[in-house]
Amino acid sequence: MTLLAIHQFPCLKDNYGVLVHDAEGGVTLSIDAPEAAAVRRALDQQGWSLTHILVTHHHADHTAGIPALKKETGCTVIGPNGETERIPGLDTGVCEPEVLTLGAIQVRVLDTPGHTMGHVSYWLPEAGVAFVGDTLFAMGCGRVLEGSAEMMWASLRKIAALPAETQIYCGHEYTVSNARFGLSVEPENARVSERLAEAEAARAAGRPTLPTRLDAELDTNVFLRADNEAIRARVGLPDAPAWKVFAHLRELKNRF
Ligand code: ZN
Ligand code: FE
């Protein structure tokens, strides 16, 4: 069991960058590269040398930093097989069920399409962490931009099936707005109001609300709870399949 150090830092408007460091193996991963300067600053601060970038999806706020970082460090860029053409500097395309071994870090690739068609998540089972990009957010989920709602729901179910204590790192700080939406759907869910208060306090103090733990999401993330009786009834779809309830919730959130 290797001990990994994980460093999360804010960048751009509301993105997060994350570095994962295995000192023994001499490996440092950047999960996505929203902005070269912010990633470089974080690396300098920690005294770590970048060896790999693991890209979740092709959007510019996750990839814009790749060319400069690759040029400076010679790092290897790994990303979704389905988006190789759209990710600058990509060296290796991956998809489920590939398992990468980087130093002592074991990384399982999960296909989590919906936000984009090729979107992947990276699960480190031994470390108990998952990097889910713009698929799942704290109390929310990404917009379904390229795939179908049914596809996104399947991706969310896949993440929901990871061990309950998994620490989930997400691409964006959207928790307060997500919690407000969640409360509008589940006003009687006390854990949702609690988390809204916690998130507001954290943001007021300039602290991140991420990472989040999967078990907390299962209790409070309305998008993971589209199969919940009370929620189905609340949105007037008591007998619809869960993915349709999910699709409806996602529509409501888009207009919230
Ligand atoms: Zn995105
Ligand atoms: Fe994003």
Side-chain angles (χ1 to χ4, degrees):
M1 181 83 197
T2 25
L3 234 73
L4 302 183
I6 300 182
H7 175 63
Q8 176 186 257
F9 52 95
C11 48
L12 300 176
K13 185 166 157 269
D14 50 31
N15 281 75
Y16 283 114
V18 188
L19 301 176
V20 181
H21 179 67
D22 159 28
E24 235 170 280
V27 167
T28 302
L29 320 178
S30 175
I31 309 300
D32 288 329
E35 191 187 14
V39 176
R40 192 184 298 126
R41 204 177 316 124
L43 287 163
D44 287 348
Q45 250 171 30
Q46 303 298 313
W48 298 343
S49 308
L50 186 64
T51 56
H52 302 79
I53 300 174
L54 266 53
V55 184
T56 60
H57 65 294
H58 68 81
H59 286 158
D61 64 313
H62 299 256
T63 57
I66 294 172
L69 291 166
K70 186 173 179 178
K71 191 162 170 241
E72 290 163 21
T73 65
C75 67
T76 301
V77 182
I78 297 168
N81 234 342
E83 298 182 356
T84 49
E85 311 286 87
R86 303 177 78 171
I87 297 171
L90 192 89
D91 295 300
T92 311
V94 292
C95 63
E96 188 173 339
E98 280 179 61
V99 181
L100 313 169
T101 305
L102 308 170
I105 311 176
Q106 192 199 76
V107 181
R108 288 183 171 266
V109 182
L110 304 176
D111 289 334
T112 50
H115 177 69
T116 66
M117 282 306 279
H119 194 298
V120 296
S121 296
Y122 298 101
W123 175 36
L124 283 51
E126 287 167 1
V129 302
F131 302 97
V132 300
D134 287 0
T135 299
L136 182 72
F137 295 127
M139 308 188 78
C141 73
R143 284 177 188 259
V144 183
L145 297 177
E146 294 179 11
S148 66
E150 196 167 7
M151 188 186 271
M152 186 71 163
W153 170 247
S155 295
L156 292 174
R157 296 298 304 155
K158 193 180 284 181
I159 294 169
L162 297 178
E165 65 281 1
T166 304
Q167 293 284 338
I168 308 279
Y169 287 81
C170 317
H172 293 266
E173 176 66 62
Y174 292 153
T175 313
V176 169
S177 134
N178 289 337
R180 287 185 184 142
F181 172 70
L183 201 58
S184 76
V185 179
E186 280 196 285
E188 71 294 338
N189 188 332
R191 272 298 285 140
V192 175
S193 1
E194 263 173 55
R195 284 196 74 191
L196 172 58
E198 286 164 14
E200 284 173 335
R203 296 311 293 151
R207 280 183 283 114
T209 63
L210 293 161
T212 179
R213 243 174 78 137
L214 183 56
D215 49 5
E217 294 308 313
L218 295 172
D219 288 343
T220 58
N221 189 319
V222 72
F223 296 102
L224 291 182
R225 294 161 60 72
D227 51 0
N228 173 281
E229 292 284 322
I231 292 175
R232 282 160 183 268
R234 171 100 191 166
V235 299
L237 295 167
D239 303 314
W243 73 264
K244 285 201 173 166
V245 180
F246 165 74
H248 183 70
L249 289 165
R250 189 55 259 185
E251 278 302 310
L252 288 176
K253 174 67 167 73
N254 291 348
R255 290 182 262 123
F256 184 67

